Amino acid sequence: MAFPAIYLTILLGNGLIVVVTTCDPALQTPMYFFLRSLSGLELCYTSITLPKMMASLATGNRSISLKACASHMFFLLFLGGTKCFLLAAMAYDRYLAICLPLRYMTAMSHRVQVGLVTGSFAISFPMQLVQIGLIFSLPFCGSNEMDHFFSDIPPVPSLACSDLYTNELVIYTENVLFVLAPFVLILTSSVYITRAILHMSSAAGRQKAFSTCSSHVIVVSLFYGSGIFASLLPKTPDFTKAD
């Protein structure tokens, strides 16, 4: 019952954010536009993994076809990559709001907001398509068992029966750059924001600035922190079979 409850909570929470930020006239600001986009993305992102995992646990059928595995991995990476760039766009929004408040509304026009969100999807799509092409062009033979509940890197390439050096080098180089670039942008904006807040003379102003950035910091910490934690976990027994 834990996973259905978690999934329902995610759907209700993010769905409520989307509805409220869309309907409330007072929330038609760039910050809430990005928050609405992030919540909509989160609805799709969690729906890629949790329903399949719950179905596997409920029915005991842990198999997945190669085509379904490829589709699942593509959307997982595509939405995850988009989230990285969207978090960077949100960091840029907060940088403009706090460090350049007089230019904020001009620099962060609705056209710019839509462009940043659309660009996050547009950058992620071809890069992840290349990754999927590299992975599923490999010859698969022998064992078809993965120690994951879902199709992910690196368990799928490990099932291939050919030399993986070139593929893995390209895949991991792309992943490092893909994840690292937005993270560096987020850290850089955080440094400028922190410096600007500390130079504020008003305590009320500092408190308001910190409160507007705290939610973004929490989301970034949870997203990147969970990814780092998952990558450091020891290997577990096999759960999924790729047909």
Side-chain angles (χ1 to χ4, degrees), residues 116-225:
L116 288 172
V117 173
T118 305
S120 299
F121 283 92
I123 294 173
S124 180
F125 184 85
M127 296 180 71
Q128 303 309 337
L129 202 60
V130 170
Q131 284 205 79
I132 295 301
L134 286 172
I135 292 172
F136 287 91
S137 63
L138 295 168
F140 293 95
C141 55
S143 174
N144 63 347
E145 295 184 352
M146 297 184 296
D147 60 345
H148 280 59
F149 278 108
F150 55 91
S151 305
D152 194 13
I153 300 174
V156 174
S158 66
L159 302 178
C161 53
S162 64
D163 182 23
L164 302 177
Y165 177 76
T166 302
N167 295 73
E168 288 185 340
L169 181 62
V170 174
I171 290 169
Y172 284 111
T173 300
E174 185 174 317
N175 277 337
V176 168
L177 294 175
F178 197 83
V179 175
L180 187 61
F183 188 61
V184 170
L185 291 174
I186 293 171
L187 285 180
T188 302
S189 67
S190 298
V191 170
Y192 280 102
I193 289 172
T194 302
R195 188 172 65 177
I197 291 175
L198 293 177
H199 280 82
M200 291 180 178
S201 57
S202 169
R206 287 196 298 269
Q207 183 177 2
K208 182 179 179 181
F210 271 121
S211 65
T212 60
C213 297
S214 58
S215 58
H216 180 256
V217 172
I218 292 172
V219 172
V220 170
S221 301
L222 289 174
F223 181 64
Y224 281 97

Side-chain angles (χ1 to χ4, degrees), residues 13-45:
N14 286 284
L16 183 61
I17 291 174
V18 171
V19 172
V20 172
T21 55
T22 301
C23 298
D24 192 338
L27 302 181
Q28 305 308 307
T29 63
M31 181 177 72
Y32 289 104
F33 174 80
F34 288 117
L35 181 60
R36 179 165 64 249
S37 302
L38 183 65
S39 295
L41 182 66
E42 193 66 29
L43 287 172
C44 300
Y45 186 71

